[in-house]
Amino acid sequence: MPIHWSSTFCLPTPLFHYIIIWLQGYCKFGGKCKFSHDPTTPCNLFQTRKGCPKGDSCIFSHRQSSTVDLGPRSKENRATLSTTDSDFEARFRQWTYLIPKEKAGRRIQHDTPDIKTFFMIAWDLTSSSDASGRQRLIKKLSTDEGLNMIKTLADTMDDGQDDQSVISLFQASVIPFYRTISHPEVISSLVLEHSLETIYNFLYGSGGRRGDQVFRFTAKAILLAVADNDDEQHEKRGSVFKACLAVLERMIELNQGAQLRQELIPAIETITTCTGPDDLMPESRRKLDKIRLRLGLGSLIPSAKKPRPQAAQEVTFNFQHDLPGGLSSDGPRHDNDHEDITNIQILPTAEEIQCSRAEYLPYSNITYKYLTGLPALLDRQFRLLREDSIGGLRDAARSEAARLAKDPSAVITPKQRNQERIHVLENVRFRRWEIDRRRGIQLVAEFDQPILIGRSSEQQRKDWWDSSRRLQPASLVCLVSTSGQFIFCLVCDPTPTAPRKKKDRDDLAEEDEDVPDFAAMEYQRKKENMPSLYKDESKATVMLTLAHDDCMHIAWISQQFKKIKSSDKVSIVEFPGVLLPSFQPILEALQQMSETLDLPFTEHLAPEVEGQGEQDVAAPLYMQRQGFSLDLRPLTGGQPLRLSAQTPFDWEVFNNHTSLDEAQQAAVIHALNNSLALIQGPPGTGKSYTGVSIINVLLRNRKAGDLGPIICVCYTNHALDQLLENLIKDGVEQVVRIGSRSKSEALQNVNLQQLAQQVLQTKDEGRDKYMLNQQLDSSISEIEAILKGLNDLTSEESIKAYLEENWPHHFRQLFQPTMEEDGFTLVKGRKNDVVAVWLRGAEPGNSRDHAVDMLTRMPLDEMSASERRHLLEYWVKERAEQLGEQLDDALGPYQDTREELDRYFKEQQRRALSQAHVIGVTTSGLARNLEVLRRVRSKVLVCEEAGEVLEAHTLTALLPSIEHAILIGDHQQLRPQVKTYELCHDNPRGKNISLDISLFERLVKLERNTKLARMPFSRLKIQRRMHPSIADLVRETIYSDLEDHAVVSQYPLVDGMRHRLFWMTHNSREDGADHIQAQSDSKSNAFEVGMVSALASHLLRQGTYSNGDIAVLTPYVRQLQKIRRSLSGMFEIIMNDRDVEALEKEEDGKIQPLSATASPVQKTTLLSALRVATVDNFQGEEAKVIILSFVRSNAEGKCGFLRTSNRINVALSRARHGMYIVGDAKTASSVPMWAKIVQILETRELRRFIRLSIVSRGVTGPWRVAATHAQSLAVISVTRCAESKFRMFNSLAAMSAILNATRHTSWKRLNAEQNRCTQCLIAATRF
């Protein structure tokens, strides 16, 4: 029987002919009736709760006026509702009336529910209503009544029926149902997540039996549908298959047991064999592939790709590698060592911290038999990123525990602490628990002020803590005790959360002015008693929250509040800059992906077929649709031109009408034609411009390709702001910026945080949030009562409550008075002093010491002093554990409610993002917002600075919905930042690990030990930044095919300089290891500080350079610090935010004078400004003039950070007009690339001499010559050579005398001084 598919389903007329009619529809009074018989008269029953039972057969009008007055109930409801809203209300009531009602377990109507009409209306309402309507419908469907309707449908889905019955049921009921519960907005909604899980789990059934029947029926229906070869129905048939596969995929995803059910395999194989590539849309084929992978059936229909040549067999030598968990020959290392990464806790456990065996770290060039393909890739990235994130903190906690245990062999030295940026705060005391509405339970801890600021003023202490940036909110710390406790905590902002408004609380009405607002009073009390790091001279207090609420940890901490014995010492181990939100979401996403295996482009990212050469990359799925093509008019100035995956491209038209150069043209077409595209952009070649061009094309075709919002990801906030600003300048609308660290004023109004607050919530959401807040208030009250007991475990009230409940005989002996024989009452002690009196009341000479289990049965008065103390310790411990368990039980509902409230806010964010055209986010911001972004259904991802992003971060950015990913970067510039040097590619011991190799670099480069084919990529070639003489430095060392645009040859000379490029070499050694530098890896060179300062001063005093045109770069934070201090008195300095943070870390532990601790921006009378940055933090930026301080000068020839070609590349490619290098060329030449640079400059005679061409206005003749040499001497007056320094100062003094002399000074004397100055200059700049 042919099936005629349709996107909507017509409703029968009259619609509700089967409903019990209690109004007949014909008036027996006829024309004498006092009511109107006009057909246009509105029906009075239509707007009632049950609606009109006559439906379409009613003789009165069911039309309504376009507006409805909702009265003064709320501001939102004062607005008008359209006729569509009223129609929905009526139809929704009619739909719910179709559900059989039950009373006392008995149905009172509709013995046989009309499931056909029920699900047809459900789909019609879902597809035509807004978020509010869909929420109401799905929530109703997930109730017991709705699930009964689903059960009725599932019971009729019997594959044993005849073909006609199967087709009829499938078309009329099953497809509307599938479409309803797989609607994109329904699937994406965070508010409906629990309701959908209920529906899908119910559909799967107990043990999967209902799911088996549903799968078999669906497979048979699809088989019958494919038998109909009607071409006109092909597209509609594809949409039906899409809905079926979406339901099957979701059902398997939510039920892990489905992956083990063999009964499902025949149904899936049937669907696979009867649906070829022409029957399924690309996204449907992708869903079927995921279903097969989950069931272990392998890949979908093999793709037609040309075979790649196999890699040549290589001879390798593999060392034995200790595998994880039970795979290790020695057994698991600890309780957190598992072969499956989904079982690994993110933060280390106590056993893991104390374990002496090395952690398992998978190598990059070894294939482990127990994992291959995508699981192996995710396993490797998870383990390496986790080790880099928490390995240092884990080792520091172990060392601190050893120090507390007085084991000197395992203690970290002060230098190691500084290298790892470890801080240990000793003598920690716990003060109290608190509960915050948003942050949960919090712990107030106290410790001794650091010795350096012990006697400082309050303002000095505040400045020190602020500048050190220690114990900043969200910082990860570990509590370490002598008893072996390791408790991870997060530092909290001590500011309490303000209470809700009166009108939102049940405990206090807004008009009850005479009733005290206890919530406000408690808030004020907390504000007055906030922890502070600096207010007290001898002690500092900090607010912490447990990283994971554990009742045992809570109980142990509570016992420390008022210690009965003080043998337990506690320290806080801090890792500044280690923020749990920066890596926890990434690691959790990798764990989730290892379960779902829903990472796109798996065949390219983790291929299991060996080969060499280049891989074949298909077009994006949306471009594979028949007849689809991209409109390229945004690139051709309006000239019609289209790009299709099925037809050849007209390069001639493109080249004649685009502003892109040839390399950019090739890169753009390559990016649009490949589902996974890589574009390498050497410095200055227009990576950002190319990226903007690609995005503009995609935006032009967004609706045609159903692309959803385009996600733009950058590594830094600065690059992201620039990209989004460029898009806005090009006229792009609907841009959303995620993250609060944007410096752009143009993007302030499109920040997601603000936009989400403007999204109107539905009525159901408002009601649910109100109820959730009431539940939250109740949970907080319960928790506060428990915390009160935990805060004072040794109080008489706490002991009394514990004994009364657990040891009634001891309670009676201690707290209930007894009568003596003479009738007098035996007094146990003064009020609130009963326990203390009992502790001191032991008989002298009684030295017994029974075990606690025996003491619990003994009379209290017969115990010795030690027994009483031990028993009290036991009571306190038991009381703490008891209250801890109660708190654990109370925290469950609190956290569930808190998460549910967060879900409603995230739903508002999702709705805001779903209306965006472009979503901009940094890699770290994307990780923190994964739950929302996964539901936006974006198909395109553009990642800039891809060479700087860790592979784990890039993998998590590849959301399951992504069909087209474009990575733009340069793997020959800076690599991703890694905390642990042992995991870096440049470390000989870390070469086999290479965590700092980005996904971009891994795909582009074909490593010698790799047996996998590399990805094809495009390279931009024409640079528009550097003058050709500067570009030669990177052209002759790295980019052999780099070309110069004509505009760079026209750059002017640097004002005040004879040459635009030179290297001033010297042999002044780097600064020695003073008491500060001895504990740091950072370096400095005082000679270069003076040289750089003088040269920068000279350039700025030309008066021709504007704000930020001149930049001083150095590889070391210590040198950056000294240059900053040297220049801060002369110029206004511009600093990168990351450099400011690095300086604050570097200055940790030192109190600076007021001038040094002032703001990093110093204003002077000069109109110019200077940019100061480290090389790493200046990637992606440029300046007209660059002054580079090399710093390193030593006999060993150690170049430090500037030994890698990536950093050298960045350092040499930032300048546009001129670049001046100050450094020891001999030390630098130990690195091959630097040796090549020195050779290039030596050839051009630009290395040995500084040539200053100062044009002193109004000075002529000898005075001009004198002024020139005086300034030259100022540049080199900081030389460390005493003899040369003495001669130069003498010459400078003589020159000053000449300048102040009369105009009749002899030329002979002036020439003599000029010669002396020249000799000094040559001497100071010679090797």
Side-chain angles (χ1 to χ4, degrees):
M1 173 182 177
I3 300 178
H4 298 285
W5 306 98
S6 61
S7 57
T8 58
F9 295 88
C10 298
L11 302 177
T13 303
L15 179 61
F16 298 107
H17 60 86
Y18 46 80
I19 300 179
I20 300 175
I21 303 297
W22 63 83
L23 294 177
Q24 293 297 322
Y26 296 100
C27 179
K28 65 181 180 179
F29 296 103
K32 297 180 180 180
C33 183
K34 62 180 180 180
F35 299 106
S36 173
H37 287 184
D38 186 352
T40 62
T41 302
C43 175
N44 293 328
L45 295 175
F46 179 67
Q47 298 185 44
T48 61
R49 183 177 63 84
K50 292 186 177 181
C52 178
K54 295 181 180 295
D56 291 346
S57 63
C58 180
I59 63 174
F60 297 107
S61 173
H62 284 184
R63 296 183 59 84
Q64 210 171 16
S65 59
S66 61
T67 61
V68 179
D69 184 9
L70 296 180
R73 288 175 294 176
S74 67
K75 293 181 180 179
E76 293 80 9
N77 290 344
R78 293 191 187 110
T80 59
L81 290 178
S82 66
T83 305
T84 304
D85 297 325
S86 302
D87 289 344
F88 173 82
E89 290 295 332
R91 299 187 68 194
F92 182 77
R93 288 193 296 267
Q94 294 165 352
W95 176 73
T96 56
Y97 190 78
L98 291 173
I99 302 176
K101 305 298 186 295
E102 293 188 2
K103 187 173 183 180
R106 180 176 58 87
R107 290 185 177 179
I108 60 175
Q109 54 180 321
H110 309 318
D111 292 337
T112 304
D114 189 345
I115 58 174
K116 173 182 176 181
T117 306
F118 179 82
F119 288 110
M120 290 170 95
I121 297 176
W123 164 238
D124 189 59
L125 290 175
T126 301
S127 60
S128 61
S129 63
D130 58 6
S132 176
R134 285 189 288 268
Q135 289 175 12
R136 293 176 61 186
L137 187 142
I138 296 299
K139 287 183 177 180
K140 184 65 176 178
L141 200 57
S142 65
T143 62
D144 290 341
E145 295 174 342
L147 295 177
N148 281 333
M149 296 296 288
I150 296 176
K151 181 178 184 300
T152 302
L153 173 62
D155 290 343
T156 61
M157 295 173 66
D158 183 4
D159 62 327
Q161 302 177 61
D162 60 86
D163 294 352
Q164 184 174 353
S165 299
V166 170
I167 292 176
S168 177
L169 178 63
F170 187 63
Q171 178 182 2
S173 302
V174 177
I175 290 302
F177 170 56
Y178 281 177
R179 281 178 164 165
T180 299
I181 63 175
S182 65
H183 188 279
E185 287 296 319
V186 171
I187 292 289
S188 301
S189 174
L190 284 98
V191 172
L192 296 177
E193 183 175 12
H194 294 324
S195 299
L196 273 179
E197 287 182 3
T198 300
I199 293 172
Y200 277 101
N201 288 333
F202 181 83
L203 188 62
Y204 183 71
S206 176
R209 287 186 292 273
R210 186 179 295 123
D212 294 343
Q213 180 175 331
V214 169
F215 269 63
R216 291 194 303 270
F217 179 88
T218 303
K220 181 175 181 179
I222 290 177
L223 180 62
L224 294 174
V226 172
D228 177 19
N229 295 321
D230 188 352
D231 294 336
E232 296 181 359
Q233 302 297 325
H234 176 74
E235 184 174 352
K236 295 177 181 178
R237 189 167 63 219
S239 65
V240 171
F241 293 166
K242 178 181 177 181
C244 294
L245 292 173
V247 172
L248 299 182
E249 179 196 19
R250 184 78 170 177
M251 197 186 308
I252 294 176
E253 180 181 337
L254 292 175
N255 295 275
Q256 297 295 325
Q259 302 179 20
L260 304 177
R261 291 190 63 80
Q262 297 296 316
E263 293 82 355
L264 300 179
I265 294 179
I268 299 303
E269 292 290 8
T270 299
I271 296 174
T272 302
T273 55
C274 69
T275 54
D278 295 334
D279 296 304
L280 295 179
M281 292 185 289
E283 52 267 39
S284 299
R285 191 159 61 249
R286 185 173 170 182
K287 289 182 182 297
L288 182 55
D289 193 38
K290 289 171 62 177
I291 293 173
R292 292 181 59 84
L293 289 175
R294 282 179 173 276
L295 298 178
L297 299 179
S299 180
L300 190 56
I301 304 168
S303 56
K305 293 184 179 180
K306 62 181 180 180
R308 293 197 299 267
Q310 295 296 311
Q313 183 68 31
E314 295 184 2
V315 179
T316 60
F317 183 87
N318 294 329
F319 291 95
Q320 185 177 0
H321 204 179
D322 192 11
L323 296 177
L327 299 175
S328 171
S329 57
D330 298 327
R333 297 162 176 79
H334 43 73
D335 60 351
N336 201 28
D337 183 28
H338 305 284
E339 51 267 34
D340 186 351
I341 61 173
T342 60
N343 297 325
I344 298 177
Q345 298 181 33
I346 303 298
L347 294 176
T349 63
E351 277 192 27
E352 181 178 358
I353 292 173
Q354 295 171 318
C355 178
S356 59
R357 289 172 60 186
E359 292 296 313
Y360 164 69
L361 299 177
Y363 290 165
S364 59
N365 60 344
I366 296 179
T367 301
Y368 300 97
K369 294 182 179 180
Y370 78 100
L371 280 179
T372 59
L374 179 59
L377 173 65
L378 298 175
D379 178 272
R380 179 176 182 274
Q381 292 301 322
F382 175 87
R383 294 182 188 276
L384 296 183
L385 180 61
R386 180 177 182 271
E387 177 65 20
D388 184 57
S389 301
I390 59 94
L393 187 58
R394 177 198 62 217
D395 297 342
R398 181 192 305 128
S399 298
E400 178 59 18
R403 186 193 69 81
L404 291 174
K406 299 181 179 180
D407 181 5
S409 62
V411 177
I412 290 182
T413 65
K415 182 174 182 178
Q416 288 174 318
R417 285 189 182 182
N418 201 285
Q419 289 174 350
E420 299 293 338
R421 300 202 183 282
I422 299 168
H423 299 301
V424 178
L425 304 170
E426 303 176 10
N427 196 21
V428 177
R429 289 88 63 190
F430 304 121
R431 287 296 170 248
R432 64 183 181 275
W433 293 107
E434 291 185 1
I435 177 71
D436 184 87
R437 185 175 190 84
R438 292 181 180 174
R439 307 182 190 103
I441 59 170
Q442 297 175 309
L443 171 66
V444 178
E446 178 185 281
F447 53 89
D448 297 338
Q449 286 281 12
I451 298 176
L452 290 172
I453 59 173
R455 296 184 178 181
S456 305
S457 66
E458 181 176 329
Q459 185 60 45
Q460 285 179 313
R461 292 194 298 272
K462 183 178 184 303
D463 292 341
W464 187 87
W465 279 108
D466 289 344
S467 64
S468 70
R469 298 187 65 83
R470 290 171 57 176
L471 296 179
Q472 292 293 297
S475 295
L476 184 63
V477 300
C478 184
L479 303 176
V480 182
S481 75
T482 53
S483 61
Q485 294 287 341
F486 298 92
I487 304 174
F488 285 94
C489 302
L490 300 178
V491 179
C492 294
D493 182 353
T495 306
T497 301
R500 292 191 298 144
K501 297 178 181 179
K502 291 183 179 181
K503 64 179 181 180
D504 297 329
R505 305 206 315 264
D506 284 344
D507 63 331
L508 192 61
E510 190 171 8
E511 61 273 10
D512 295 337
E513 298 181 357
D514 297 334
V515 179
D517 190 344
F518 294 105
M521 294 169 60
E522 178 66 12
Y523 170 70
Q524 188 62 33
R525 183 194 66 79
K526 288 183 177 180
K527 283 189 67 176
E528 294 172 354
N529 294 278
M530 280 196 314
S532 173
L533 292 170
Y534 59 85
K535 287 187 176 180
D536 192 277
E537 180 179 352
S538 60
K539 60 186 179 183
T541 51
V542 63
M543 184 77 80
L544 304 174
T545 182
L546 301 187
H548 298 292
D549 294 330
D550 185 287
C551 62
M552 299 304 295
H553 288 162
I554 293 172
W556 178 83
I557 291 173
S558 301
Q559 295 175 54
Q560 313 305 309
F561 286 157
K562 292 184 178 179
K563 295 181 179 179
I564 301 173
K565 58 178 182 178
S566 57
S567 59
D568 224 2
K569 295 182 180 180
V570 182
S571 298
I572 293 179
V573 179
E574 180 194 8
F575 234 37
V578 178
L579 306 178
L580 188 60
S582 68
F583 63 86
Q584 185 177 30
I586 299 288
L587 293 173
E588 290 176 345
L590 292 172
Q591 288 178 316
Q592 181 181 351
M593 283 191 288
S594 69
E595 289 183 334
T596 60
L597 298 176
D598 56 359
L599 182 71
F601 317 118
T602 303
E603 66 275 17
H604 303 301
L605 303 178
E608 299 190 41
V609 179
E610 297 181 0
Q612 59 186 9
E614 288 187 348
Q615 300 184 36
D616 301 318
V617 183
L621 290 177
Y622 64 84
M623 283 193 66
Q624 296 179 25
R625 297 209 306 262
Q626 191 68 30
F628 180 83
S629 62
L630 291 174
D631 184 357
L632 300 186
R633 277 182 289 182
L635 303 180
T636 60
Q639 175 69 25
L641 181 64
R642 305 194 73 87
L643 175 66
S644 171
Q646 291 84 26
T647 59
F649 180 64
D650 192 337
W651 284 97
E652 183 177 355
V653 173
F654 188 41
N655 184 60
N656 292 338
H657 295 87
T658 184
S659 60
L660 300 171
D661 62 45
E662 291 186 4
Q664 290 172 339
Q665 293 175 35
V668 168
I669 300 304
H670 168 80
L672 296 174
N673 255 334
N674 290 270
S675 58
L676 180 58
L678 310 176
I679 300 177
Q680 182 191 3
T685 54
K687 292 189 294 293
S688 298
Y689 181 75
T690 304
V692 170
S693 300
I694 294 171
I695 293 171
N696 280 325
V697 172
L698 294 170
L699 288 173
R700 180 62 175 260
N701 298 272
R702 193 178 67 88
K703 288 185 178 179
D706 190 24
L707 305 183
I710 297 173
I711 299 180
C712 298
V713 182
C714 295
Y715 178 65
T716 62
N717 284 283
H718 174 74
L720 179 62
D721 287 345
Q722 282 188 330
L723 173 62
L724 297 182
E725 286 175 351
N726 290 335
L727 289 172
I728 292 174
K729 289 177 182 177
D730 284 354
V732 175
E733 300 177 345
Q734 298 295 96
V735 174
V736 177
R737 175 37 158 114
I738 299 179
S740 59
R741 300 191 63 181
S742 172
K743 303 296 183 182
S744 171
E745 294 182 2
L747 301 175
Q748 296 304 313
N749 294 331
V750 294
N751 187 276
L752 177 61
Q753 202 74 6
Q754 294 186 13
L755 295 176
Q757 296 174 2
Q758 301 173 26
V759 175
L760 295 178
Q761 62 183 11
T762 66
K763 292 180 180 179
D764 283 5
E765 289 173 350
R767 182 184 64 252
D768 293 346
K769 287 169 67 175
Y770 177 83
M771 296 177 61
L772 288 169
N773 274 304
Q774 303 309 313
Q775 296 175 17
L776 194 65
D777 291 338
S778 176
S779 296
I780 290 175
S781 298
E782 182 182 0
I783 292 172
E784 284 177 338
I786 298 172
L787 293 182
K788 183 179 179 182
L790 285 171
N791 285 336
D792 199 2
L793 289 169
T794 59
S795 67
E796 180 175 314
E797 181 181 358
S798 179
I799 298 298
K800 186 176 182 179
Y802 168 75
L803 292 180
E804 186 175 14
E805 181 180 355
N806 297 278
W807 306 102
H809 61 290
H810 281 168
F811 169 78
R812 290 191 296 270
Q813 295 174 31
L814 195 58
F815 293 104
Q816 289 185 350
T818 58
M819 300 294 295
E820 295 279 341
E821 292 182 358
D822 56 5
F824 290 96
T825 301
L826 180 64
V827 179
K828 292 288 184 181
R830 294 190 305 273
K831 185 178 181 180
N832 297 330
D833 203 25
V834 173
V835 177
V837 170
W838 172 70
L839 278 176
R840 297 192 301 266
E843 296 181 2
N846 187 349
S847 59
R848 293 178 307 180
D849 195 5
H850 291 96
V852 171
D853 59 344
M854 184 176 294
L855 295 178
T856 57
R857 300 189 296 270
M858 288 177 56
L860 295 179
D861 291 342
E862 297 180 4
M863 297 181 186
S864 65
S866 62
E867 289 175 333
R868 298 182 186 209
R869 188 171 60 254
H870 292 158
L871 183 59
L872 180 58
E873 291 173 3
Y874 172 77
W875 288 346
V876 171
K877 180 176 178 294
E878 288 292 307
R879 175 64 170 167
E881 292 178 357
Q882 189 180 77
L883 290 175
E885 293 176 358
Q886 294 178 16
L887 182 61
D888 193 45
D889 293 338
L891 282 174
Y894 165 82
Q895 292 167 344
D896 291 343
T897 307
R898 183 69 261 170
E899 290 174 2
E900 196 65 24
L901 282 169
D902 290 342
R903 193 181 303 277
Y904 279 88
F905 179 70
K906 290 178 180 178
E907 171 63 16
Q908 290 180 281
Q909 290 182 322
R910 185 199 67 82
R911 292 213 291 268
L913 291 175
S914 64
Q915 300 180 47
H917 294 174
V918 174
I919 298 173
V921 62
T922 61
T923 53
S924 58
L926 187 144
R928 289 192 291 269
N929 293 274
L930 269 175
E931 184 177 9
V932 176
L933 289 172
R934 280 175 173 265
R935 298 171 181 272
V936 178
R937 305 191 310 278
S938 294
K939 292 184 179 180
V940 180
L941 171 79
V942 178
C943 179
E944 286 209 355
E945 304 175 309
E948 286 189 79
V949 183
L950 285 168
E951 180 166 356
H953 288 243
T954 308
L955 293 178
T956 55
L958 295 174
L959 307 175
S961 61
I962 296 296
E963 299 177 4
H964 192 183
I966 302 169
L967 309 184
I968 305 174
D970 185 7
H971 58 282
Q972 292 177 297
Q973 295 187 56
L974 289 183
R975 285 183 171 136
Q977 294 184 0
V978 173
K979 300 182 182 69
T980 309
Y981 181 60
E982 283 70 18
L983 304 179
C984 293
H985 180 79
D986 292 331
N987 186 336
R989 295 188 301 275
K991 196 172 185 66
N992 289 331
I993 295 176
S994 300
L995 178 60
D996 60 338
I997 297 295
S998 64
L999 174 64
F1000 184 93
E1001 181 174 1
R1002 181 172 71 83
L1003 294 178
V1004 167
K1005 295 175 66 176
L1006 182 62
E1007 297 289 353
R1008 208 174 98 183
N1009 294 331
T1010 303
K1011 298 180 181 180
L1012 304 175
R1014 66 176 179 270
M1015 288 283 294
F1017 69 98
S1018 295
R1019 177 185 291 170
L1020 306 180
K1021 296 181 180 180
I1022 301 178
Q1023 68 90 16
R1024 296 167 173 82
R1025 174 188 296 168
M1026 301 166 281
H1027 187 272
S1029 62
I1030 301 174
D1032 283 343
L1033 301 182
V1034 293
R1035 183 172 19 247
E1036 298 184 24
T1037 53
I1038 298 177
Y1039 308 105
S1040 58
D1041 57 350
L1042 187 65
E1043 302 174 12
D1044 299 322
H1045 193 273
V1047 69
V1048 298
S1049 299
Q1050 302 171 8
Y1051 285 161
L1053 287 170
V1054 177
D1055 288 335
M1057 307 298 290
R1058 293 189 186 277
H1059 297 280
R1060 66 174 73 250
L1061 174 66
F1062 68 70
W1063 183 320
M1064 183 204 156
T1065 185
H1066 64 84
N1067 59 0
S1068 296
R1069 298 306 190 198
E1070 61 201 54
D1071 296 344
D1074 55 19
H1075 69 285
I1076 296 174
Q1077 195 163 329
Q1079 299 181 11
S1080 173
D1081 276 345
S1082 197
K1083 305 295 182 182
S1084 63
N1085 190 310
F1087 175 82
E1088 291 187 14
V1089 171
M1091 282 293 179
V1092 166
S1093 301
L1095 181 55
S1097 173
H1098 166 67
L1099 292 172
L1100 279 173
R1101 293 182 190 279
Q1102 304 308 306
T1104 57
Y1105 291 104
S1106 59
N1107 197 2
D1109 282 347
I1110 301 173
V1112 175
L1113 303 184
T1114 179
Y1116 290 97
V1117 174
R1118 178 69 63 185
Q1119 183 77 347
L1120 176 70
Q1121 181 186 47
K1122 293 190 175 183
I1123 293 174
R1124 172 198 177 195
R1125 290 176 181 172
S1126 175
L1127 295 174
S1128 61
M1130 295 185 288
F1131 314 120
E1132 179 182 4
I1133 303 177
I1134 299 176
M1135 296 190 66
N1136 183 295
D1137 290 341
R1138 291 187 290 167
D1139 284 317
V1140 173
E1141 294 178 3
L1143 280 177
E1144 288 167 340
K1145 292 177 182 178
E1146 199 61 37
E1147 292 173 353
D1148 176 26
K1150 303 175 290 299
I1151 301 178
Q1152 305 294 342
L1154 292 179
S1155 61
T1157 58
S1159 171
V1161 177
Q1162 305 288 337
K1163 293 185 177 180
T1164 68
T1165 57
L1166 296 179
L1167 300 178
S1168 306
L1170 192 67
R1171 305 171 72 181
V1172 184
T1174 56
V1175 173
D1176 285 10
N1177 291 340
F1178 207 70
Q1179 173 155 317
E1181 302 187 46
E1182 60 183 38
K1184 287 184 178 178
V1185 181
I1186 293 292
I1187 303 174
L1188 175 63
S1189 174
F1190 188 82
V1191 179
R1192 302 307 298 271
S1193 176
N1194 51 70
E1196 297 80 11
K1198 294 181 178 180
C1199 291
F1201 285 135
L1202 285 181
R1203 67 182 176 274
T1204 62
S1205 61
N1206 301 75
R1207 274 198 181 90
I1208 300 173
N1209 183 14
V1210 174
L1212 298 179
S1213 58
R1214 303 301 100 194
R1216 297 177 61 201
H1217 298 174
M1219 181 172 66
Y1220 306 103
I1221 305 173
V1222 180
D1224 184 351
K1226 184 176 181 180
T1227 298
S1229 296
S1230 62
V1231 175
M1233 184 170 175
W1234 279 124
K1236 178 67 174 177
I1237 300 299
V1238 170
Q1239 181 183 358
I1240 295 171
L1241 295 180
E1242 277 184 327
T1243 303
R1244 298 175 186 174
E1245 297 183 354
L1246 296 175
R1247 181 169 57 88
R1248 290 182 179 273
F1249 306 107
I1250 297 179
R1251 303 177 186 271
L1252 298 176
S1253 59
I1254 303 175
V1255 180
S1256 302
R1257 294 172 184 169
V1259 181
T1260 58
W1263 320 112
R1264 183 168 179 174
V1265 176
T1268 300
H1269 285 283
Q1271 191 69 30
S1272 300
L1273 286 171
V1275 173
I1276 59 173
S1277 62
V1278 293
T1279 178
R1280 300 180 72 180
C1281 175
E1283 183 179 355
S1284 296
K1285 187 172 182 180
F1286 177 78
R1287 292 203 307 268
M1288 283 187 292
F1289 279 146
N1290 284 343
S1291 298
L1292 182 59
M1295 199 68 68
S1296 299
I1298 293 174
L1299 291 174
N1300 294 324
T1302 65
R1303 301 181 62 148
H1304 302 287
T1305 303
S1306 65
W1307 277 94
K1308 183 176 182 179
R1309 182 179 176 190
L1310 183 60
N1311 288 332
E1313 293 300 328
Q1314 177 181 347
N1315 291 334
R1316 290 181 60 192
C1317 291
T1318 303
Q1319 292 173 3
C1320 292
L1321 181 61
I1322 294 174
T1325 58
R1326 186 175 296 142
F1327 273 101

